[in-house]
Amino acid sequence: MKPYNSQPDLQSMFRKYLNGTATPEEKRLVEALYDRFEEQPDILNSYSEQEKQSLEYRMESYLKNHIQHPTPTLPLTGWARWRQRLSWRHIAAASVLVACLGGGYFYLNTHKQPTLQTQITSQDLTPGGDHAILTLSDGSKIMLDNVSNGMLAKQGEMTIHKVEQGLVAYSGKGLFAENQFNTITAPTGGKYSVVLPDGSRAWLNAESSLKFPTAFAQNERKVAITGEVYFEIAPDKQKPFLVDVQGVQTIKVLGTHFNVNAYGDEAAVTTTLLEGSVIISSAHTDAKAIRLKPGDQASLSSKGAIQVEKDVNTEKVIAWKNGFFQFEKANIKTVMRQLSRWYNVEVAYEGAPSDRTFSGKIARNVNASEALEILQFTGVNFRVEQVGNGAKRGRIVVTTP
C-alpha cells in the first residue's frame, strides 16, 4: 500500500473518500484510520448527548464547507457512505482527523462539560515568520528579513553572512575586544537562527534576544539572553559556554543541546536539557548549583529556588523550534500566551478564564483563524477583533461558556 506521510497526501485522500473518487486502497486506509481512533481511549466521553449532537452538526457543516460535495448519483460513496456508517466514535475521530488536516490536533482534558455553540468571527491573522533585527557593536541595525543572502557586515576580523532565510552566521578568527558585542532580536511574531563565532548555533523564538561578543574570550564563551532560545553548543573543553539569563541565572556547558524559556510573563525560568550536561546556578548566593542530565528540566522561581523535574517531554519543549505549538495539560492562559507572541495580538478574557486543561499540537504556519478553529473543537470560544493602536495586529477575546 502506498504510504501517505504528508499533510497534502492525507488531505487529498480524505477529500477523495468523501466525494466518492477514492480508490479501493485509499478507502481502506481512511477506514483504517477511523478504526485506529476507535481503539483509542474515549477522550470525549465527558460530552452530554446534546453536546454530541451539536458536535456532529458542526462536523457535518465543517466537512461540507471545506471539502468538495459528493456526486449525488454515487450511492453509499463519499459523504453518504461516511454519514451512514457514522457513529459517535467516528464523529470524534473525524473531529481529530479534520483538525490534523487543518494543521494540528487538539483534545480536551477536563471533567467539565464544554459548550459548542459560538462560532469564530474573525479578521484573519497570518502567522509569524523569519523576522529579526541584528544590532552591531556601533549601534547600527540590520533588518534581517529585508536583506538578500550574502555578506552583511564585518565586525573586526569576523564576517557576518546571511546564509538563507532565517539564518545568519559568523565566520573568521578574531580577538575578543571590550564592548564589541552584537545582539540579534526576534520581535513579537518573529523567529531567527544564528551561528555564533565559535560554531555554536542558537534558535530564537518570538520576543527573544541574544547578545554575544563578536569574538569569544580565551577562557570562556559568554552570551546573554531574554525570552526563549534553543542552543546547540560546539564542544570546547578549554572554553566553557556560559549563558546569562536576565541576570537571575547562569547556565554553564561544554557542549550540549538545551532550551531556555525566560519570558517575563511565565511563572519560572525553565532550562531543559536534551543532550550532554549543564550546571544551573541561581543569582541568589545561598542557592546550590544544580547539574542536569538529559530529560531534566530546571525551574527557577522568582525567589531564586531551583526545582528539577525528571523525564520531561523534550519534544513538547522544543516544538516551537520545529514549527509547532504543543501542550500537555496546559491551561488556557498558557496556550494563549504562546499564540499572542506568535500572531502579535493582545489577549482578553470575557468572564473568568476556563480552568480546563489542554493537550495537543498545532502547526505554527497556519493563520490564527485555523489555530483557533482547532482549539474550538475542544469547546472554548473565541472572537478576533481589531485594535486601535499599531503595536498589535489584533485582539483575541476568549469567551467563557
Side-chain angles (χ1 to χ4, degrees):
M1 180 177 286
K2 174 186 173 183
Y4 291 84
N5 297 322
S6 69
Q7 181 174 318
D9 280 343
L10 287 171
Q11 288 174 323
S12 174
M13 182 179 63
F14 197 46
R15 289 192 181 98
K16 288 165 69 178
Y17 181 87
L18 292 176
N19 66 27
T21 62
T23 65
E25 177 187 47
E26 290 168 332
K27 291 177 183 178
R28 286 195 299 272
L29 184 52
V30 170
E31 290 167 9
L33 285 172
Y34 285 142
D35 293 338
R36 181 71 176 271
F37 274 103
E38 284 200 312
E39 296 171 2
Q40 305 302 314
D42 194 344
I43 59 175
L44 298 172
N45 60 7
S46 63
Y47 283 76
S48 67
E49 288 302 318
Q50 181 179 1
E51 289 163 342
K52 291 177 183 180
Q53 292 175 7
S54 178
L55 179 58
E56 179 177 340
Y57 173 78
R58 287 179 57 200
M59 283 308 307
E60 289 188 12
S61 299
Y62 184 93
L63 292 169
K64 288 177 179 177
N65 290 334
H66 287 74
I67 301 173
Q68 180 181 352
H69 289 285
T71 304
T73 57
L74 295 176
L76 295 183
T77 59
W79 175 260
R81 176 176 177 178
W82 186 85
R83 187 64 185 83
Q84 184 186 56
R85 70 191 301 270
L86 200 63
S87 66
W88 166 239
R89 291 296 310 178
H90 284 128
I91 285 288
S95 69
V96 178
L97 281 173
V98 171
C100 287
L101 297 177
Y105 64 83
F106 232 83
Y107 57 89
L108 181 68
N109 297 306
T110 181
H111 294 297
K112 294 192 175 181
Q113 302 293 343
T115 59
L116 299 168
Q117 289 121 7
T118 304
Q119 298 297 316
I120 300 169
T121 58
S122 73
Q123 63 181 79
D124 217 354
L125 300 169
T126 56
D130 295 317
H131 310 304
I133 301 168
L134 180 63
T135 304
L136 303 180
S137 57
D138 62 359
S140 59
K141 299 180 184 295
I142 301 174
M143 303 293 292
L144 294 176
D145 39 328
N146 294 335
V147 295
S148 302
N149 295 349
M151 191 178 82
L152 302 179
K154 287 185 71 69
Q155 295 284 270
E157 298 299 317
M158 303 297 294
T159 303
I160 310 169
H161 286 84
K162 182 176 179 179
V163 179
E164 60 188 41
Q165 186 64 24
L167 173 64
V168 294
Y170 285 67
S171 61
K173 293 183 178 180
L175 297 176
F176 176 79
E178 295 290 340
N179 301 320
Q180 293 292 307
F181 287 86
N182 287 185
T183 302
I184 183 169
T185 304
T188 306
K191 64 180 179 69
Y192 227 82
S193 182
V194 56
V195 177
L196 298 172
D198 67 332
S200 297
R201 185 167 176 178
W203 287 258
L204 285 75
N205 202 352
E207 297 184 10
S208 303
S209 70
L210 172 63
K211 182 179 180 180
F212 53 94
T214 57
F216 287 113
Q218 293 185 345
N219 60 338
E220 66 179 18
R221 299 169 286 170
K222 189 172 184 178
V223 302
I225 72 161
T226 65
E228 184 168 26
V229 183
Y230 172 74
F231 288 96
E232 293 185 354
I233 304 303
D236 188 340
K237 293 182 178 180
Q238 306 304 316
K239 287 186 181 182
F241 195 98
L242 303 175
V243 181
D244 178 357
V245 185
Q246 300 180 162
V248 300
Q249 175 181 285
T250 299
I251 304 168
K252 181 179 180 180
V253 304
L254 294 176
T256 189
H257 299 180
F258 62 100
N259 189 84
V260 186
N261 184 321
Y263 288 117
D265 56 359
E266 298 293 345
V269 175
T270 58
T271 304
T272 310
L273 183 63
L274 282 78
E275 295 182 14
S277 177
V278 301
I279 298 174
I280 309 294
S281 301
S282 170
H284 288 244
T285 56
D286 57 346
K288 182 180 179 182
I290 302 292
R291 182 183 292 272
L292 301 186
K293 296 180 180 179
D296 288 353
Q297 182 178 83
S299 297
L300 176 70
S301 71
S302 59
K303 296 181 179 180
I306 301 175
Q307 293 185 333
V308 177
E309 181 180 354
K310 302 288 186 181
D311 300 321
V312 300
N313 183 350
T314 56
E315 178 187 353
K316 179 205 73 171
V317 173
I318 64 168
W320 67 268
K321 169 185 168 289
N322 298 325
F324 292 93
F325 300 105
Q326 188 168 340
F327 305 98
E328 282 185 358
K329 298 183 179 179
N331 61 37
I332 188 62
K333 285 193 170 183
T334 298
V335 173
M336 296 311 298
R337 281 197 299 271
Q338 290 201 27
L339 266 63
S340 70
R341 295 180 195 122
W342 188 237
Y343 293 102
N344 191 14
V345 294
E346 297 176 359
V347 176
Y349 297 87
E350 287 186 351
S354 170
D355 60 357
R356 298 169 187 155
T357 60
F358 304 85
S359 294
K361 188 174 184 178
I362 302 175
R364 296 215 310 175
N365 64 355
V366 301
N367 288 347
S369 62
E370 295 179 64
L372 295 177
E373 190 168 273
I374 292 169
L375 282 169
Q376 198 175 18
F377 278 122
T378 67
V380 177
N381 300 314
F382 304 90
R383 184 174 70 252
V384 178
E385 302 174 341
Q386 293 183 339
V387 292
N389 60 65
K392 297 293 183 181
R393 299 167 61 211
R395 176 187 295 111
I396 298 175
V397 180
V398 183
T399 59
T400 301

